[in-house]
Amino acid sequence: MDGSAAIEQDRVALKRIVASLVAMAGLAVGPDGEAPAEGELQSTLPRHLWRAILSLLRPAEAAARRLVIAAARGLVVSLPPPREQGQRPATSAPFLRSLGIAVMASPADLSAAARRAKAEARRAAASARPRTLSLPLFDPLRLSLSPGLAEGGRHGPVRAVPRILFPGLIEPSPLPRPPSREDPVSAACLGRRLAALTAALDDLPGQAMRFARWKARRDLGLTRRVAPLRGGRPPGGRLARFEPTGYRLRNVREVDEILVHAHSLAVEALESPDTS
């Protein structure tokens, strides 16, 4: 199976999984798996259902991210030359106006003021428009552990915490009640992530162009992040490597198999010399 056929097979399988997650979250899903509207999502979900959806959503996002990287293999993007920032001429007109002294504005000053007004109007219009949903192109970085946790220190709930009444007298205070599996959890962020993932799977070539543009900026030294994928096991995955044997292991979900296969495709695309 060539690379494009493998990418398409994983994409179709991911769309089916995402459609099931959208149904679990209580969204109206179209026949072709259209991106769900943010207002259609239930305001809250039970904690156990929210966790179940999130446990499948994280590896699905990681798999889609790797399919984007694999689809960007061989794409070459030419960035426009950076615009030269001209040095503004120093003028004493603002200082004189602050003192109440009338200053005649030159035609160049008037045109510059008009350009600044148009730029401010464009920025205000852009901020008023709703933000478009997009799948992150990079894996989230791991959080660094404290020295005590890194050395295997205690990490878990305790029975009570100290409560200082006044200096010299400390009384243990009970901890608050642990969260219940039926507690309502806000589902707004979950809905936005589902919508972004659905839109990315529906427009894989466009997402590949996004990655190609980022890679071109990275090659020019214009980005902070140098590697889109983090080391080790992919986020949310339960498999360490891809085994093309057709044998399904116990306690391995379909999304885990898709993720580890997409990871192998992405690593091959990143290491290929024709993508540089």
Side-chain angles (χ1 to χ4, degrees), residues 253-275:
R253 306 164 299 184
E254 183 184 8
V255 68
D256 296 318
E257 296 178 341
I258 298 173
L259 173 56
V260 74
H261 183 224
H263 182 73
S264 64
L265 295 175
V267 171
E268 182 182 356
L270 291 174
E271 295 177 351
S272 178
D274 59 355
T275 59

Side-chain angles (χ1 to χ4, degrees), residues 3-214:
S4 59
I7 293 172
E8 179 62 20
Q9 180 180 353
D10 289 345
R11 188 189 73 87
V12 172
L14 275 180
K15 282 181 61 67
R16 183 176 66 253
I17 293 175
V18 173
S20 65
L21 295 180
V22 170
M24 289 172 61
L27 288 168
V29 186
D32 298 329
E34 293 88 353
E38 184 177 349
E40 295 177 352
L41 184 68
Q42 299 177 6
S43 57
T44 60
L45 290 173
R47 186 179 298 274
H48 68 90
L49 181 59
W50 180 83
R51 286 181 173 176
I53 296 174
L54 189 61
S55 66
L56 295 172
L57 178 59
R58 290 185 65 226
E61 289 176 334
R65 187 177 303 119
R66 282 150 177 80
L67 291 183
V68 169
I69 296 175
R73 180 175 183 174
L75 292 181
V76 178
V77 176
S78 299
L79 297 178
R83 288 182 295 181
E84 297 181 357
Q85 299 292 337
Q87 186 177 4
R88 295 182 178 180
T91 176
S92 59
F95 176 72
L96 295 178
R97 291 194 182 97
S98 65
L99 297 179
I101 302 176
V103 178
M104 294 294 294
S106 64
D109 294 337
L110 293 177
S111 61
R115 289 195 300 270
R116 288 194 297 268
K118 290 182 180 179
E120 292 177 359
R122 287 195 299 267
R123 286 194 295 267
S127 60
R129 291 196 299 267
R131 297 179 60 185
T132 58
L133 302 175
S134 59
L135 180 73
L137 296 177
F138 319 119
D139 284 345
L141 299 177
R142 290 186 175 90
L143 298 178
S144 59
L145 298 178
S146 61
L149 297 181
E151 297 174 0
R154 180 175 180 177
H155 179 63
V158 294
R159 296 182 179 273
V161 294
R163 183 178 62 180
I164 301 176
L165 301 180
F166 54 86
L169 180 59
I170 300 177
E171 179 182 350
S173 176
L175 290 175
R177 181 181 62 87
S180 171
R181 65 190 306 269
E182 298 296 337
D183 288 343
V185 179
S186 174
C189 182
L190 200 66
R192 290 191 293 267
R193 291 173 65 175
L194 285 170
L197 179 56
T198 305
L201 292 175
D202 288 339
D203 185 25
L204 203 59
Q207 300 299 317
M209 290 299 299
R210 279 184 61 206
F211 182 79
R213 288 192 294 268
W214 170 84

